[in-house]
Structure formats: C-alpha cells, structure tokens
Amino acid sequence: MTSPLPLVLPLPAPAPIAVVRHPRARAVRLRVDPATGEVRLVLPPRASLASAMRWAAEKSAWIAAARAKLPPPRPFLSGAHLPYRGGELEICWRADAPRRVTREGDRLICGGPLDGLAARITRWLRSEALGLLRAETTEFAHLAGVDVAQISLGDPRGRWGSCSARGTIRYSWRLILMPDIVRRAVVAHEVAHRVHMHHGPAFHALVARLVGRDAGHARDWLRTHGSALHWVGRSA
C-alpha cells in the first residue's frame, strides 16, 4: 500500500514521502524515483512507521543529494528543444501561425494562445507516436505470425510498454522521443510477448530476430537515458 505522508524534511525543496508497505520487504529503505522525483520509504509489513519516519528524517542529506542528481525538467516552451527519434526539434511559437502544430525541418511551428502551447505540442507528439507505433507493431506482428488486438498510448512511469494475454499492447507515448533503434526494440519486445509471456531465452531470441540484432543495446540505452525522457514536457 502506498500513501503520501506530510513528512517535512529539511531540504531546499521539501517533498512528501510516499510510504510503501511491501509484503516481501525485509528492511526499511529509501528510494528517489528517477522518473518522478518521488521519495519512497519502503517498509516491511509490520515495521514501526514512527521509527521509519525518524530514520528517514536522518537521511535528509542523502535525499537532497539524490534529488539534486535528477534530470532537469524540460518544459514545452517556445525556443525549447526536445528529443525526437534520435535528433532534436525546436519549438517555434508564432503569433501569426495556425494553432495546429506543423513540422518544418527540425522545427515545430505553432500559433494560438501561449498558455496552450505545451498541450498542443504534447498532442502532436502523441499523434506521431501512435501512427509510428501502429505501423511498427503491425510490421513485427506479421514477422512473428501473431495478431495484436489493440494498440493504445499512455504515460506510465514504470514501463515503456505492456502486452496483455488478450493481445492488447499499450505503449508510452514517450517512445517517440527515443532513437528509432531503441524504440523499435521496445516494440519488438512487446510483440514478442504475443508468443512468449516470459523473458526466457526463446523470448530474447525472438526479439533479436524481429529487430535483426541483439536488443541489449536498447536496454543499455534505456538504463542510461530513459529516466530523463520522463522530464521532457514537465514544468519546473
């Protein structure tokens, strides 16, 4: 069970701690989520909450240091650059431009009220992501000899994609921010789950066959750079 508690720590930017009682936890531990900045205090089922909170307060210096290492927010503002398929696009707001986002080379041109700019950029990215992910999912499903019942988008913090036993695949729209080679490996990963609902050798062999190479490079890239993508489009 997770619940935010009003535990105020002596940090430059205090934040509530999410308390999680985990059935398999054997000791109290702290974690700062690199995708959200959330501070989590994980407790065994019967651990004393009061003692754990006092212990967490003593770790304020560690928490501050961990939060200082978080990626900086990259809000969608005019003049800002955002990652896109291995390159970058510049957001260009123009008072005389249409509201609808259009791409001109490495620039995204958009007009309309400034207070809605971020929402319009996000909608454009989601639309681009959905079209590309549908095409790549269809491509890999054909190669694997499987059907995919439905494809949808979300913005999860814990995973880049998921595949249900019924054949529904759900992706993070932020896959469009990744290099193509990494995104395609994620798509192949989810399609391969239509054949193998596990991560055994047969599963990894199928992913490699679909993408034409071992997908270890994509996993390495995601471990190094994935968390920073969750800060794209976020305000400070």
Side-chain angles (χ1 to χ4, degrees):
M1 181 178 70
T2 304
S3 60
L5 295 179
L7 174 60
V8 179
L9 300 176
L11 303 176
I17 286 183
V19 176
V20 181
R21 288 195 179 273
H22 197 286
R24 293 191 297 274
R26 295 292 178 264
V28 178
R29 56 189 175 88
L30 274 170
R31 179 176 182 268
V32 175
D33 189 326
T36 64
E38 179 186 65
V39 183
R40 286 192 172 189
L41 179 63
V42 182
L43 285 71
R46 297 185 180 182
S48 167
L49 178 57
S51 297
M53 291 175 67
R54 286 194 297 270
W55 175 78
E58 295 172 357
K59 300 296 182 181
S60 60
W62 178 88
I63 295 173
R67 287 170 63 85
K69 295 178 182 178
L70 293 172
R74 299 178 63 177
F76 291 151
L77 304 173
S78 185
H81 291 78
L82 59 93
Y84 181 80
R85 299 186 61 177
E88 281 196 341
L89 297 177
E90 181 184 1
I91 299 172
C92 298
W93 178 83
R94 295 177 182 170
D96 60 344
R99 287 172 179 248
R100 183 175 181 179
V101 178
T102 58
R103 182 180 176 184
E104 296 181 4
D106 60 356
R107 296 183 299 170
L108 294 180
I109 310 300
C110 184
L114 269 173
D115 59 3
L117 177 62
R120 294 193 291 278
I121 295 296
T122 301
R123 283 196 297 271
W124 184 86
L125 289 168
R126 289 179 69 104
S127 177
E128 291 291 301
L130 184 57
L132 190 58
L133 292 167
R134 278 177 172 165
E136 292 176 341
T137 301
T138 299
E139 173 192 347
F140 289 139
H142 176 74
L143 289 174
V146 296
D147 294 323
V148 174
Q150 184 180 359
I151 299 168
S152 63
L153 294 184
D155 191 16
R157 293 295 189 262
R159 58 179 61 187
W160 299 109
S162 62
C163 179
S164 74
R166 295 183 177 181
T168 297
I169 295 181
R170 186 170 177 81
Y171 296 110
S172 166
W173 69 262
R174 295 176 186 273
L175 287 169
I176 198 70
L177 308 177
M178 301 175 185
D180 289 349
I181 194 171
V182 178
R183 183 195 62 256
R184 286 177 62 84
V186 174
V187 176
H189 181 111
E190 299 309 329
V191 170
H193 276 315
R194 293 291 295 122
V195 181
H196 305 290
M197 291 299 286
H198 58 73
H199 292 109
F203 167 82
H204 290 294
L206 177 55
V207 174
R209 179 169 71 83
L210 294 177
V211 297
R213 58 178 294 182
D214 181 79
H217 66 286
R219 293 190 294 271
D220 292 341
W221 192 96
L222 289 170
R223 278 193 291 267
T224 303
H225 306 288
S227 294
L229 298 185
H230 291 291
W231 296 82
V232 174
R234 289 181 58 180
S235 301

